[in-house]
Amino acid sequence: MTSNSETYDVVVVGGGPAGATAANDLAKDGRKVVLLDRAGRIKPCGGAIPPRAIRDFAIPDHMLVAKITSARMISPSDHRVDMPIDGGFVGMVDRAEFDEWLRQRAADNGAERRTGVYKRIQHQDDGTSLVFYEERGANGATVEQSIRTRAVIGADGALSMVARQCVPGADQVPFVFAYHEIVRAPQVPVGEVYDPHRCDVYYRGTVSPDFYGWVFPHGQTVSIGTGSMHKGFSLRESVEALRKVAGLGEVETIRKEGAPIPLHPLARWDDGRNVLLAGDAAGVVAPASGEGIYYALLGGRLAADAVDQFLETGDVAALATARKRFMRANGTVFWILGLMQKYWYSNDKRREQFVSICHDRDVQKLTWDAYMNKKLVRSKPIAHVRIFFKNLAHMTGLASA
């Protein structure tokens, strides 16, 4: 094992949107940061980011591989509801390129990048910690390295080793396992089946017994995927069938990826000492939609703020402010989405009703307003009341699909 006697302010474990954002913000604030990430890691992801993410995190236009102007909701009976975005768009990114751009931005602002596999943290008597990781040497052999640091941000994904080693309860969070295939986009339109400016969402028990399937354009490529908690459900077979339905069965497959997606935020994000979680490691993926990029970016920023305050004051209570701020801004939305997923995704009859509700212009307008701006729309109380009673009618069977 080799080590360095130099002490860093922060080691960020994981270079996805959360970790790269935390490293970038801390480096810009003058902190001495190491960003540690595994080689070749690409997370399966639909790749959608709302305008607020583009605005708040200064995402340049060239990183958007497509701009989506509508969504199509498809029911078990093949009933299709189009939801246009009036005067706006949803940006799409390719995670292989997007995550690397975020990491390089952090490096350009002063973060030190290292490539390796995180192993463990060893706390020291002087209040610092040693972060151990393995890197591959020039001869191909692995070498264990260590970094001395005052604080650690664990942003190493849904099955975070940092979380499981340091934060109680981190191993109890349920997961949806997601799988997608990146394929070559058709060079000619596929009739009404595929539109390069539209996201298609399939709500069918055959596609997923408890989640949904997606066909998301990425410019020159397309992400086709699904997810489920059911261990016996074949995600690969589901995606194979979905490709055929979407008219993409014969196009070239570029890569295949799978990964777990946490279903709700952890009850605690820090260890009460000097470790704080962010992104999927903290469980910040929206229920029902599975959206995670915006929440990872935000979680990384809040983690950076909390760690910066901790380094400045030495008060470990500062670490808990990341979760408090996140849940204050998003807790209600996550709760509502969790109820929606539990009810509407439980069987095909309810999925049929859910897609039918999406016909409603009030539902469409408030859905896009909330998604694009990442907050509940409180300025239209009458619309909310109408939607409540329409939902109630469907849930009680008073309205037909």
Side-chain angles (χ1 to χ4, degrees):
M1 184 192 78
T2 60
S3 63
N4 192 323
S5 60
E6 188 175 12
T7 300
Y8 290 83
D9 291 317
V10 189
V11 170
V12 180
V13 181
T21 298
N24 181 64
D25 285 4
L26 285 162
K28 287 176 66 177
D29 287 341
R31 296 298 182 182
K32 197 169 186 178
V33 183
V34 168
L35 176 58
L36 174 66
D37 195 45
R38 295 169 58 185
R41 176 202 50 77
I42 305 173
K43 181 186 174 183
C45 176
I49 58 172
R52 181 164 181 184
I54 297 170
R55 182 174 63 248
D56 289 359
F57 297 94
I59 307 302
D61 193 68
H62 71 82
M63 289 309 305
L64 306 181
V65 293
K67 294 181 179 179
I68 300 303
T69 54
S70 71
R72 173 170 286 180
M73 322 297 273
I74 304 166
S75 78
S77 69
D78 208 36
H79 182 55
R80 299 170 180 234
V81 176
D82 286 350
M83 298 175 60
I85 305 173
D86 295 331
F89 68 89
V90 173
M92 305 300 291
V93 297
D94 184 299
R95 287 295 299 270
E97 298 175 3
F98 180 66
D99 289 16
E100 174 57 23
W101 179 83
L102 289 172
R103 291 189 287 267
Q104 190 55 48
R105 178 168 69 171
D108 291 343
N109 282 311
E112 179 182 328
R113 292 183 63 175
R114 296 197 191 182
T115 301
V117 178
Y118 165 84
K119 304 304 291 184
R120 67 191 185 279
I121 293 172
Q122 186 180 94
H123 296 300
Q124 305 297 294
D125 292 339
D126 62 359
T128 64
S129 295
L130 292 178
V131 175
F132 292 88
Y133 68 98
E134 286 183 349
E135 68 176 8
R136 193 167 296 279
N139 60 356
T142 57
V143 179
E144 187 172 79
Q145 305 275 15
S146 68
I147 313 168
R148 184 178 296 275
T149 183
R150 297 171 61 197
V152 178
I153 293 177
D156 50 334
L159 298 179
S160 166
M161 287 286 290
V162 175
R164 289 166 181 253
Q165 291 173 4
C166 300
V167 179
D171 58 346
Q172 303 300 315
V173 176
F175 299 94
V176 163
F177 196 85
Y179 170 78
H180 81 156
E181 297 181 1
I182 297 292
V183 305
R184 190 75 62 193
Q187 298 303 302
V188 295
V190 188
E192 277 293 304
V193 181
Y194 173 76
D195 183 333
H197 303 293
R198 185 189 68 221
C199 285
D200 291 352
V201 188
Y202 288 78
Y203 297 98
R204 295 176 178 172
T206 55
V207 172
S208 171
D210 53 342
F211 204 53
Y212 63 83
W214 68 83
V215 177
F216 287 180
H218 284 185
Q220 298 300 310
T221 62
V222 187
S223 165
I224 309 170
T226 188
S228 178
M229 287 184 66
H230 292 225
K231 293 183 179 179
F233 184 77
S234 175
L235 298 176
R236 290 179 179 269
E237 291 180 7
S238 175
V239 170
E240 181 182 2
L242 188 56
R243 287 181 61 165
K244 294 177 182 177
V245 169
L248 301 170
E250 302 302 320
V251 297
E252 177 190 358
T253 301
I254 298 173
R255 63 179 190 263
K256 301 177 180 181
E257 300 156 351
I261 299 175
L263 287 179
H264 58 73
L266 292 179
R268 182 169 182 171
W269 293 3
D270 70 278
D271 69 344
R273 186 165 184 162
N274 66 351
V275 176
L276 178 62
L277 306 178
D280 281 12
V284 293
V285 174
S289 69
E291 182 194 359
I293 297 178
Y294 168 76
Y295 297 110
L297 293 166
L298 177 61
R301 175 151 293 170
L302 296 179
D305 290 346
V307 166
D308 189 61
Q309 184 181 348
F310 163 70
L311 293 172
E312 189 68 28
T313 65
D315 184 0
V316 296
L319 299 175
T321 62
R323 187 183 189 281
K324 289 177 182 176
R325 291 176 63 193
F326 184 94
M327 297 306 293
R328 188 181 304 123
N330 302 287
T332 301
V333 171
F334 274 42
W335 178 73
I336 291 172
L337 291 174
L339 291 179
M340 286 178 58
Q341 179 173 343
K342 185 175 182 180
Y343 182 83
W344 292 117
Y345 296 3
S346 61
N347 58 58
D348 273 359
K349 180 180 178 180
R350 291 181 178 177
R351 293 185 186 97
E352 199 74 43
Q353 293 173 331
F354 175 72
V355 173
S356 179
I357 289 175
C358 293
H359 264 300
D360 189 274
R361 289 298 297 166
D362 288 333
V363 171
Q364 294 187 14
K365 183 70 168 66
L366 290 180
T367 296
W368 284 127
D369 283 350
Y371 174 80
M372 307 280 269
N373 299 297
K374 286 290 164 270
K375 61 183 178 181
L376 294 176
V377 183
R378 305 180 187 277
S379 60
K380 301 178 177 66
I382 300 303
H384 280 289
V385 170
R386 287 201 298 265
I387 290 172
F388 171 78
F389 282 109
K390 290 169 187 173
N391 269 279
L392 186 63
H394 278 276
M395 292 169 70
T396 57
L398 296 176
S400 63

